mmCIF file of all heavy atoms in Angstrom:
data_model
loop_
_atom_site.group_PDB
_atom_site.id
_atom_site.type_symbol
_atom_site.label_atom_id
_atom_site.label_comp_id
_atom_site.label_asym_id
_atom_site.label_seq_id
_atom_site.Cartn_x
_atom_site.Cartn_y
_atom_site.Cartn_z
ATOM 1 N N PRO A 296 -6.993 -11.178 -0.324
ATOM 2 C CA PRO A 296 -5.633 -11.085 -0.693
ATOM 3 C C PRO A 296 -4.955 -9.824 -0.014
ATOM 4 O O PRO A 296 -3.739 -9.881 0.282
ATOM 5 C CB PRO A 296 -5.620 -10.921 -2.182
ATOM 6 C CG PRO A 296 -6.863 -11.571 -2.559
ATOM 7 C CD PRO A 296 -7.848 -11.246 -1.493
ATOM 8 N N TYR A 350 10.118 -3.690 5.494
ATOM 9 C CA TYR A 350 9.982 -3.231 4.120
ATOM 10 C C TYR A 350 11.326 -3.535 3.281
ATOM 11 O O TYR A 350 11.224 -4.151 2.278
ATOM 12 C CB TYR A 350 9.739 -1.746 4.181
ATOM 13 C CG TYR A 350 10.182 -0.790 3.069
ATOM 14 C CD1 TYR A 350 9.949 -1.083 1.793
ATOM 15 C CD2 TYR A 350 11.008 0.287 3.351
ATOM 16 C CE1 TYR A 350 10.354 -0.208 0.696
ATOM 17 C CE2 TYR A 350 11.395 1.148 2.381
ATOM 18 C CZ TYR A 350 11.101 0.886 1.084
ATOM 19 O OH TYR A 350 11.495 1.748 0.097
ATOM 20 N N HIS A 354 11.739 -6.417 0.069
ATOM 21 C CA HIS A 354 12.266 -6.045 -1.262
ATOM 22 C C HIS A 354 13.555 -6.793 -1.471
ATOM 23 O O HIS A 354 13.860 -7.338 -2.641
ATOM 24 C CB HIS A 354 12.340 -4.577 -1.469
ATOM 25 C CG HIS A 354 11.040 -3.854 -1.699
ATOM 26 N ND1 HIS A 354 10.947 -2.509 -2.049
ATOM 27 C CD2 HIS A 354 9.726 -4.316 -1.643
ATOM 28 C CE1 HIS A 354 9.669 -2.249 -2.225
ATOM 29 N NE2 HIS A 354 8.935 -3.301 -1.886
ATOM 30 N N TRP A 357 13.379 -10.519 -2.318
ATOM 31 C CA TRP A 357 12.854 -10.687 -3.705
ATOM 32 C C TRP A 357 14.005 -10.583 -4.635
ATOM 33 O O TRP A 357 14.224 -11.346 -5.551
ATOM 34 C CB TRP A 357 11.705 -9.844 -4.020
ATOM 35 C CG TRP A 357 11.352 -9.969 -5.484
ATOM 36 C CD1 TRP A 357 10.671 -10.938 -6.154
ATOM 37 C CD2 TRP A 357 11.772 -8.999 -6.512
ATOM 38 N NE1 TRP A 357 10.630 -10.674 -7.432
ATOM 39 C CE2 TRP A 357 11.290 -9.548 -7.672
ATOM 40 C CE3 TRP A 357 12.485 -7.764 -6.614
ATOM 41 C CZ2 TRP A 357 11.476 -8.907 -8.984
ATOM 42 C CZ3 TRP A 357 12.754 -7.200 -7.705
ATOM 43 C CH2 TRP A 357 12.241 -7.716 -8.979
ATOM 44 N N MET A 358 14.828 -9.417 -4.537
ATOM 45 C CA MET A 358 15.903 -9.182 -5.440
ATOM 46 C C MET A 358 16.954 -10.248 -5.383
ATOM 47 O O MET A 358 17.538 -10.628 -6.407
ATOM 48 C CB MET A 358 16.585 -7.817 -4.970
ATOM 49 C CG MET A 358 15.764 -6.685 -5.506
ATOM 50 S SD MET A 358 16.430 -5.135 -4.760
ATOM 51 C CE MET A 358 14.887 -4.223 -4.581
ATOM 52 N N LEU A 383 2.268 -12.956 -9.668
ATOM 53 C CA LEU A 383 1.381 -12.185 -8.712
ATOM 54 C C LEU A 383 2.033 -12.155 -7.392
ATOM 55 O O LEU A 383 1.965 -11.195 -6.697
ATOM 56 C CB LEU A 383 0.025 -12.863 -8.643
ATOM 57 C CG LEU A 383 -1.217 -12.087 -8.362
ATOM 58 C CD1 LEU A 383 -1.327 -11.015 -9.398
ATOM 59 C CD2 LEU A 383 -2.433 -12.971 -8.358
ATOM 60 N N LEU A 390 4.537 -4.917 -3.260
ATOM 61 C CA LEU A 390 3.529 -3.991 -2.674
ATOM 62 C C LEU A 390 3.431 -4.228 -1.176
ATOM 63 O O LEU A 390 3.218 -3.235 -0.439
ATOM 64 C CB LEU A 390 2.156 -4.331 -3.399
ATOM 65 C CG LEU A 390 2.057 -3.770 -4.763
ATOM 66 C CD1 LEU A 390 0.814 -4.308 -5.456
ATOM 67 C CD2 LEU A 390 2.061 -2.303 -4.771
ATOM 68 N N ASP A 393 6.015 -2.035 0.099
ATOM 69 C CA ASP A 393 5.521 -0.655 -0.020
ATOM 70 C C ASP A 393 4.533 -0.323 1.096
ATOM 71 O O ASP A 393 4.554 0.772 1.657
ATOM 72 C CB ASP A 393 4.902 -0.432 -1.353
ATOM 73 C CG ASP A 393 5.901 -0.549 -2.511
ATOM 74 O OD1 ASP A 393 7.125 -0.321 -2.226
ATOM 75 O OD2 ASP A 393 5.455 -0.612 -3.618
ATOM 76 N N CYS A 396 6.354 0.175 4.295
ATOM 77 C CA CYS A 396 6.998 1.435 4.230
ATOM 78 C C CYS A 396 6.131 2.622 4.597
ATOM 79 O O CYS A 396 6.420 3.554 5.403
ATOM 80 C CB CYS A 396 7.629 1.695 2.788
ATOM 81 S SG CYS A 396 8.314 3.273 2.486
ATOM 82 N N GLY A 397 4.885 2.590 4.086
ATOM 83 C CA GLY A 397 3.861 3.599 4.414
ATOM 84 C C GLY A 397 3.482 3.531 5.791
ATOM 85 O O GLY A 397 3.345 4.521 6.572
ATOM 86 N N GLN A 400 6.144 5.152 8.277
ATOM 87 C CA GLN A 400 5.999 6.541 8.256
ATOM 88 C C GLN A 400 4.835 6.890 9.243
ATOM 89 O O GLN A 400 4.934 7.816 10.052
ATOM 90 C CB GLN A 400 5.718 7.180 6.926
ATOM 91 C CG GLN A 400 6.870 6.922 6.012
ATOM 92 C CD GLN A 400 6.399 7.187 4.567
ATOM 93 O OE1 GLN A 400 5.857 8.240 4.228
ATOM 94 N NE2 GLN A 400 6.741 6.266 3.680
ATOM 95 N N GLU A 401 3.660 6.180 9.065
ATOM 96 C CA GLU A 401 2.487 6.504 9.950
ATOM 97 C C GLU A 401 2.896 6.338 11.340
ATOM 98 O O GLU A 401 2.508 7.225 12.179
ATOM 99 C CB GLU A 401 1.350 5.608 9.552
ATOM 100 C CG GLU A 401 0.691 5.908 8.291
ATOM 101 C CD GLU A 401 -0.559 4.972 8.011
ATOM 102 O OE1 GLU A 401 -1.157 4.563 9.036
ATOM 103 O OE2 GLU A 401 -0.793 4.590 6.813
ATOM 104 N N LEU A 404 5.213 9.112 12.748
ATOM 105 C CA LEU A 404 4.495 10.428 12.942
ATOM 106 C C LEU A 404 3.482 10.453 13.998
ATOM 107 O O LEU A 404 2.860 11.402 14.288
ATOM 108 C CB LEU A 404 3.827 10.779 11.523
ATOM 109 C CG LEU A 404 4.853 10.998 10.422
ATOM 110 C CD1 LEU A 404 4.181 10.928 9.026
ATOM 111 C CD2 LEU A 404 5.603 12.226 10.594
ATOM 112 N N VAL A 413 9.125 15.638 16.497
ATOM 113 C CA VAL A 413 8.737 14.607 15.574
ATOM 114 C C VAL A 413 9.201 14.927 14.155
ATOM 115 O O VAL A 413 9.629 14.065 13.424
ATOM 116 C CB VAL A 413 7.174 14.490 15.648
ATOM 117 C CG1 VAL A 413 6.810 13.304 14.761
ATOM 118 C CG2 VAL A 413 6.730 14.380 17.065
ATOM 119 N N LEU A 414 9.025 16.272 13.868
ATOM 120 C CA LEU A 414 9.422 16.575 12.414
ATOM 121 C C LEU A 414 10.963 16.340 12.186
ATOM 122 O O LEU A 414 11.327 15.828 11.130
ATOM 123 C CB LEU A 414 9.152 18.143 12.252
ATOM 124 C CG LEU A 414 9.172 18.671 10.912
ATOM 125 C CD1 LEU A 414 8.266 17.915 9.925
ATOM 126 C CD2 LEU A 414 8.769 20.143 10.972
ATOM 127 N N ALA A 417 11.444 12.708 11.821
ATOM 128 C CA ALA A 417 10.880 12.198 10.486
ATOM 129 C C ALA A 417 11.807 12.496 9.477
ATOM 130 O O ALA A 417 12.043 11.720 8.461
ATOM 131 C CB ALA A 417 9.509 12.898 10.231
ATOM 132 N N ARG A 418 12.559 13.638 9.456
ATOM 133 C CA ARG A 418 13.516 14.009 8.446
ATOM 134 C C ARG A 418 14.626 13.019 8.543
ATOM 135 O O ARG A 418 15.166 12.538 7.469
ATOM 136 C CB ARG A 418 14.051 15.453 8.732
ATOM 137 C CG ARG A 418 13.104 16.514 8.367
ATOM 138 C CD ARG A 418 13.671 17.890 8.458
ATOM 139 N NE ARG A 418 12.700 18.866 8.246
ATOM 140 C CZ ARG A 418 12.465 19.959 9.038
ATOM 141 N NH1 ARG A 418 13.130 20.157 10.128
ATOM 142 N NH2 ARG A 418 11.523 20.860 8.771
ATOM 143 N N GLN A 424 15.999 6.003 4.641
ATOM 144 C CA GLN A 424 15.511 5.232 3.378
ATOM 145 C C GLN A 424 16.305 5.619 2.217
ATOM 146 O O GLN A 424 16.834 4.721 1.526
ATOM 147 C CB GLN A 424 13.989 5.540 3.262
ATOM 148 C CG GLN A 424 13.499 4.857 2.060
ATOM 149 C CD GLN A 424 11.956 4.933 1.913
ATOM 150 O OE1 GLN A 424 11.276 5.225 2.857
ATOM 151 N NE2 GLN A 424 11.477 4.679 0.675
ATOM 152 N N SER A 425 16.537 6.898 1.945
ATOM 153 C CA SER A 425 17.201 7.208 0.773
ATOM 154 C C SER A 425 18.630 6.688 0.800
ATOM 155 O O SER A 425 19.189 6.304 -0.253
ATOM 156 C CB SER A 425 17.274 8.819 0.588
ATOM 157 O OG SER A 425 16.001 9.389 0.804
ATOM 158 N N VAL A 428 18.898 2.859 0.372
ATOM 159 C CA VAL A 428 18.543 2.495 -0.984
ATOM 160 C C VAL A 428 19.667 2.707 -1.887
ATOM 161 O O VAL A 428 20.113 1.826 -2.783
ATOM 162 C CB VAL A 428 17.209 3.100 -1.458
ATOM 163 C CG1 VAL A 428 17.009 2.862 -2.925
ATOM 164 C CG2 VAL A 428 16.041 2.446 -0.644
ATOM 165 N N MET A 435 24.665 -3.752 -5.384
ATOM 166 C CA MET A 435 24.160 -4.743 -6.394
ATOM 167 C C MET A 435 24.812 -4.586 -7.657
ATOM 168 O O MET A 435 24.884 -5.520 -8.409
ATOM 169 C CB MET A 435 22.612 -4.390 -6.498
ATOM 170 C CG MET A 435 21.885 -5.180 -7.469
ATOM 171 S SD MET A 435 20.076 -4.661 -7.436
ATOM 172 C CE MET A 435 20.134 -3.158 -8.483
ATOM 173 N N THR A 436 25.190 -3.292 -8.060
ATOM 174 C CA THR A 436 25.701 -3.058 -9.389
ATOM 175 C C THR A 436 27.250 -3.028 -9.347
ATOM 176 O O THR A 436 27.874 -2.844 -10.428
ATOM 177 C CB THR A 436 25.210 -1.727 -9.846
ATOM 178 O OG1 THR A 436 25.508 -0.680 -9.006
ATOM 179 C CG2 THR A 436 23.719 -1.735 -10.145
ATOM 180 N N LEU A 452 26.978 3.516 3.408
ATOM 181 C CA LEU A 452 25.651 3.812 2.915
ATOM 182 C C LEU A 452 24.616 2.796 3.299
ATOM 183 O O LEU A 452 23.530 3.116 3.631
ATOM 184 C CB LEU A 452 25.783 3.935 1.350
ATOM 185 C CG LEU A 452 26.449 5.081 0.715
ATOM 186 C CD1 LEU A 452 26.809 4.874 -0.713
ATOM 187 C CD2 LEU A 452 25.656 6.318 0.898
ATOM 188 N N ILE B 181 28.437 8.438 -5.926
ATOM 189 C CA ILE B 181 28.644 7.160 -5.276
ATOM 190 C C ILE B 181 29.161 6.169 -6.314
ATOM 191 O O ILE B 181 30.188 5.513 -6.183
ATOM 192 C CB ILE B 181 27.297 6.615 -4.715
ATOM 193 C CG1 ILE B 181 26.825 7.596 -3.690
ATOM 194 C CG2 ILE B 181 27.560 5.243 -4.075
ATOM 195 C CD1 ILE B 181 25.335 7.306 -3.238
ATOM 196 N N PRO B 184 26.193 3.512 -11.665
ATOM 197 C CA PRO B 184 24.879 2.911 -11.666
ATOM 198 C C PRO B 184 23.856 3.612 -10.683
ATOM 199 O O PRO B 184 22.668 3.729 -10.961
ATOM 200 C CB PRO B 184 25.124 1.446 -11.277
ATOM 201 C CG PRO B 184 26.490 1.167 -11.654
ATOM 202 C CD PRO B 184 27.266 2.491 -11.368
ATOM 203 N N TYR B 238 7.364 7.369 -7.935
ATOM 204 C CA TYR B 238 7.628 6.077 -7.205
ATOM 205 C C TYR B 238 6.540 4.968 -7.553
ATOM 206 O O TYR B 238 6.872 3.865 -7.921
ATOM 207 C CB TYR B 238 7.622 6.414 -5.688
ATOM 208 C CG TYR B 238 7.162 5.345 -4.722
ATOM 209 C CD1 TYR B 238 7.768 3.984 -4.698
ATOM 210 C CD2 TYR B 238 6.154 5.615 -3.835
ATOM 211 C CE1 TYR B 238 7.223 3.130 -3.729
ATOM 212 C CE2 TYR B 238 5.751 4.717 -2.951
ATOM 213 C CZ TYR B 238 6.312 3.441 -2.791
ATOM 214 O OH TYR B 238 5.872 2.562 -1.943
ATOM 215 N N HIS B 242 7.051 1.308 -9.854
ATOM 216 C CA HIS B 242 6.775 -0.019 -9.457
ATOM 217 C C HIS B 242 5.602 -0.660 -10.234
ATOM 218 O O HIS B 242 5.612 -1.882 -10.484
ATOM 219 C CB HIS B 242 6.389 0.000 -7.884
ATOM 220 C CG HIS B 242 7.555 0.056 -6.983
ATOM 221 N ND1 HIS B 242 7.450 -0.100 -5.668
ATOM 222 C CD2 HIS B 242 8.907 0.351 -7.242
ATOM 223 C CE1 HIS B 242 8.717 0.079 -5.058
ATOM 224 N NE2 HIS B 242 9.548 0.340 -6.046
ATOM 225 N N TRP B 245 6.664 -1.880 -13.701
ATOM 226 C CA TRP B 245 7.356 -3.182 -13.642
ATOM 227 C C TRP B 245 6.304 -4.273 -13.417
ATOM 228 O O TRP B 245 6.352 -5.378 -13.998
ATOM 229 C CB TRP B 245 8.372 -3.160 -12.532
ATOM 230 C CG TRP B 245 8.938 -4.567 -12.272
ATOM 231 C CD1 TRP B 245 9.844 -5.199 -13.015
ATOM 232 C CD2 TRP B 245 8.500 -5.560 -11.283
ATOM 233 N NE1 TRP B 245 10.042 -6.490 -12.631
ATOM 234 C CE2 TRP B 245 9.231 -6.657 -11.558
ATOM 235 C CE3 TRP B 245 7.538 -5.508 -10.211
ATOM 236 C CZ2 TRP B 245 9.065 -7.822 -10.737
ATOM 237 C CZ3 TRP B 245 7.420 -6.597 -9.367
ATOM 238 C CH2 TRP B 245 8.251 -7.745 -9.632
ATOM 239 N N LEU B 271 18.909 -7.435 -13.057
ATOM 240 C CA LEU B 271 19.486 -6.326 -12.430
ATOM 241 C C LEU B 271 18.631 -5.027 -12.678
ATOM 242 O O LEU B 271 18.433 -4.234 -11.780
ATOM 243 C CB LEU B 271 20.972 -6.121 -13.011
ATOM 244 C CG LEU B 271 21.956 -5.502 -11.995
ATOM 245 C CD1 LEU B 271 22.008 -6.338 -10.786
ATOM 246 C CD2 LEU B 271 23.298 -5.333 -12.690
ATOM 247 N N LEU B 278 14.305 -0.441 -6.787
ATOM 248 C CA LEU B 278 15.110 0.459 -5.871
ATOM 249 C C LEU B 278 14.968 1.790 -6.257
ATOM 250 O O LEU B 278 14.945 2.812 -5.412
ATOM 251 C CB LEU B 278 16.545 0.036 -5.804
ATOM 252 C CG LEU B 278 16.884 -1.389 -5.051
ATOM 253 C CD1 LEU B 278 18.173 -1.882 -5.283
ATOM 254 C CD2 LEU B 278 16.590 -1.190 -3.563
ATOM 255 N N ASP B 281 11.883 2.948 -4.710
ATOM 256 C CA ASP B 281 12.119 3.188 -3.357
ATOM 257 C C ASP B 281 12.868 4.457 -3.089
ATOM 258 O O ASP B 281 12.625 5.180 -2.083
ATOM 259 C CB ASP B 281 12.947 2.061 -2.841
ATOM 260 C CG ASP B 281 12.268 0.649 -2.777
ATOM 261 O OD1 ASP B 281 10.918 0.740 -2.889
ATOM 262 O OD2 ASP B 281 12.789 -0.470 -2.665
ATOM 263 N N CYS B 284 10.580 7.325 -3.388
ATOM 264 C CA CYS B 284 9.687 7.364 -2.221
ATOM 265 C C CYS B 284 10.378 8.048 -1.050
ATOM 266 O O CYS B 284 9.775 8.887 -0.307
ATOM 267 C CB CYS B 284 9.295 5.905 -1.889
ATOM 268 S SG CYS B 284 8.373 5.666 -0.359
ATOM 269 N N GLY B 285 11.629 7.772 -0.750
ATOM 270 C CA GLY B 285 12.404 8.385 0.297
ATOM 271 C C GLY B 285 12.556 9.901 0.004
ATOM 272 O O GLY B 285 12.372 10.685 0.850
ATOM 273 N N GLN B 288 9.436 11.883 0.778
ATOM 274 C CA GLN B 288 9.297 12.257 2.167
ATOM 275 C C GLN B 288 10.136 13.431 2.553
ATOM 276 O O GLN B 288 9.815 14.330 3.298
ATOM 277 C CB GLN B 288 9.610 11.095 3.028
ATOM 278 C CG GLN B 288 8.658 9.852 2.872
ATOM 279 C CD GLN B 288 9.245 8.520 3.453
ATOM 280 O OE1 GLN B 288 9.667 8.578 4.572
ATOM 281 N NE2 GLN B 288 9.297 7.535 2.631
ATOM 282 N N GLU B 289 11.447 13.316 2.108
ATOM 283 C CA GLU B 289 12.412 14.400 2.354
ATOM 284 C C GLU B 289 11.823 15.788 1.862
ATOM 285 O O GLU B 289 11.925 16.751 2.568
ATOM 286 C CB GLU B 289 13.693 14.101 1.676
ATOM 287 C CG GLU B 289 14.503 13.073 2.291
ATOM 288 C CD GLU B 289 15.860 12.888 1.671
ATOM 289 O OE1 GLU B 289 16.438 13.921 1.164
ATOM 290 O OE2 GLU B 289 16.401 11.794 1.534
ATOM 291 N N LEU B 292 8.975 17.155 4.023
ATOM 292 C CA LEU B 292 9.330 17.547 5.359
ATOM 293 C C LEU B 292 10.229 18.806 5.332
ATOM 294 O O LEU B 292 10.565 19.403 6.428
ATOM 295 C CB LEU B 292 10.128 16.381 6.025
ATOM 296 C CG LEU B 292 9.282 15.092 6.322
ATOM 297 C CD1 LEU B 292 10.122 13.962 6.615
ATOM 298 C CD2 LEU B 292 8.191 15.377 7.389
ATOM 299 N N VAL B 301 3.364 21.035 9.138
ATOM 300 C CA VAL B 301 4.063 20.051 8.429
ATOM 301 C C VAL B 301 3.828 18.659 8.812
ATOM 302 O O VAL B 301 3.645 17.748 8.077
ATOM 303 C CB VAL B 301 5.564 20.328 8.438
ATOM 304 C CG1 VAL B 301 6.363 19.368 7.502
ATOM 305 C CG2 VAL B 301 5.944 21.805 8.146
ATOM 306 N N LEU B 302 3.805 18.513 10.161
ATOM 307 C CA LEU B 302 3.548 17.169 10.731
ATOM 308 C C LEU B 302 2.223 16.592 10.261
ATOM 309 O O LEU B 302 2.030 15.473 9.932
ATOM 310 C CB LEU B 302 3.578 17.318 12.211
ATOM 311 C CG LEU B 302 3.682 16.056 13.066
ATOM 312 C CD1 LEU B 302 4.796 15.159 12.628
ATOM 313 C CD2 LEU B 302 3.822 16.351 14.481
ATOM 314 N N ALA B 305 2.434 15.633 6.747
ATOM 315 C CA ALA B 305 3.168 14.362 6.632
ATOM 316 C C ALA B 305 2.269 13.163 6.912
ATOM 317 O O ALA B 305 2.413 12.071 6.278
ATOM 318 C CB ALA B 305 4.391 14.318 7.495
ATOM 319 N N ARG B 306 1.457 13.312 7.920
ATOM 320 C CA ARG B 306 0.543 12.231 8.292
ATOM 321 C C ARG B 306 -0.417 11.878 7.201
ATOM 322 O O ARG B 306 -0.638 10.710 6.767
ATOM 323 C CB ARG B 306 -0.197 12.546 9.539
ATOM 324 C CG ARG B 306 0.543 12.448 10.829
ATOM 325 C CD ARG B 306 -0.206 12.670 12.148
ATOM 326 N NE ARG B 306 0.636 12.824 13.278
ATOM 327 C CZ ARG B 306 0.512 13.790 14.161
ATOM 328 N NH1 ARG B 306 -0.375 14.799 14.044
ATOM 329 N NH2 ARG B 306 1.404 13.904 15.226
ATOM 330 N N GLN B 312 0.048 6.873 0.815
ATOM 331 C CA GLN B 312 0.826 5.719 0.397
ATOM 332 C C GLN B 312 0.240 4.349 0.801
ATOM 333 O O GLN B 312 -0.017 3.483 -0.091
ATOM 334 C CB GLN B 312 2.313 5.835 0.914
ATOM 335 C CG GLN B 312 3.157 4.592 0.451
ATOM 336 C CD GLN B 312 4.632 4.748 0.790
ATOM 337 O OE1 GLN B 312 5.097 5.879 0.942
ATOM 338 N NE2 GLN B 312 5.366 3.672 0.897
ATOM 339 N N SER B 313 -0.090 4.252 2.042
ATOM 340 C CA SER B 313 -0.713 3.027 2.593
ATOM 341 C C SER B 313 -1.945 2.699 1.870
ATOM 342 O O SER B 313 -2.282 1.611 1.451
ATOM 343 C CB SER B 313 -0.922 3.141 4.063
ATOM 344 O OG SER B 313 0.132 3.586 4.768
ATOM 345 N N VAL B 316 -1.521 1.721 -2.010
ATOM 346 C CA VAL B 316 -0.887 0.413 -2.081
ATOM 347 C C VAL B 316 -1.944 -0.686 -1.809
ATOM 348 O O VAL B 316 -2.069 -1.717 -2.555
ATOM 349 C CB VAL B 316 0.357 0.285 -1.138
ATOM 350 C CG1 VAL B 316 0.795 -1.106 -1.070
ATOM 351 C CG2 VAL B 316 1.497 1.230 -1.698
ATOM 352 N N MET B 323 -5.108 -5.758 -8.271
ATOM 353 C CA MET B 323 -4.271 -6.844 -8.863
ATOM 354 C C MET B 323 -4.860 -8.273 -8.608
ATOM 355 O O MET B 323 -4.682 -9.088 -9.447
ATOM 356 C CB MET B 323 -2.887 -6.680 -8.352
ATOM 357 C CG MET B 323 -1.858 -7.622 -8.799
ATOM 358 S SD MET B 323 -0.236 -7.117 -8.001
ATOM 359 C CE MET B 323 -0.398 -8.073 -6.504
ATOM 360 N N THR B 324 -5.379 -8.459 -7.458
ATOM 361 C CA THR B 324 -5.728 -9.829 -7.014
ATOM 362 C C THR B 324 -7.208 -10.126 -7.212
ATOM 363 O O THR B 324 -7.674 -11.177 -6.921
ATOM 364 C CB THR B 324 -5.364 -10.054 -5.490
ATOM 365 O OG1 THR B 324 -5.980 -9.036 -4.792
ATOM 366 C CG2 THR B 324 -3.864 -10.057 -5.347
ATOM 367 N N LEU B 340 -9.968 3.409 -3.042
ATOM 368 C CA LEU B 340 -8.666 3.175 -2.386
ATOM 369 C C LEU B 340 -7.514 3.577 -3.368
ATOM 370 O O LEU B 340 -6.617 4.155 -2.872
ATOM 371 C CB LEU B 340 -8.535 1.620 -2.117
ATOM 372 C CG LEU B 340 -9.352 1.097 -0.909
ATOM 373 C CD1 LEU B 340 -9.354 -0.429 -1.028
ATOM 374 C CD2 LEU B 340 -8.726 1.634 0.386
#
Side-chain angles (χ1 to χ4, degrees):
Chain A
Y350 147 58
H354 282 191
W357 172 78
M358 282 172 215
L383 210 58
L390 289 168
D393 291 342
C396 174
Q400 296 162 54
E401 287 183 35
L404 296 166
V413 184
L414 191 54
R418 287 187 186 127
Q424 180 172 340
S425 314
V428 169
M435 179 179 82
T436 54
L452 289 165
Chain B
I181 299 168
Y238 147 58
H242 282 191
W245 172 78
L271 211 57
L278 289 168
D281 291 342
C284 173
Q288 297 163 53
E289 286 185 33
L292 296 166
V301 184
L302 192 55
R306 287 185 187 130
Q312 180 172 338
S313 316
V316 169
M323 179 179 83
T324 53
L340 289 164

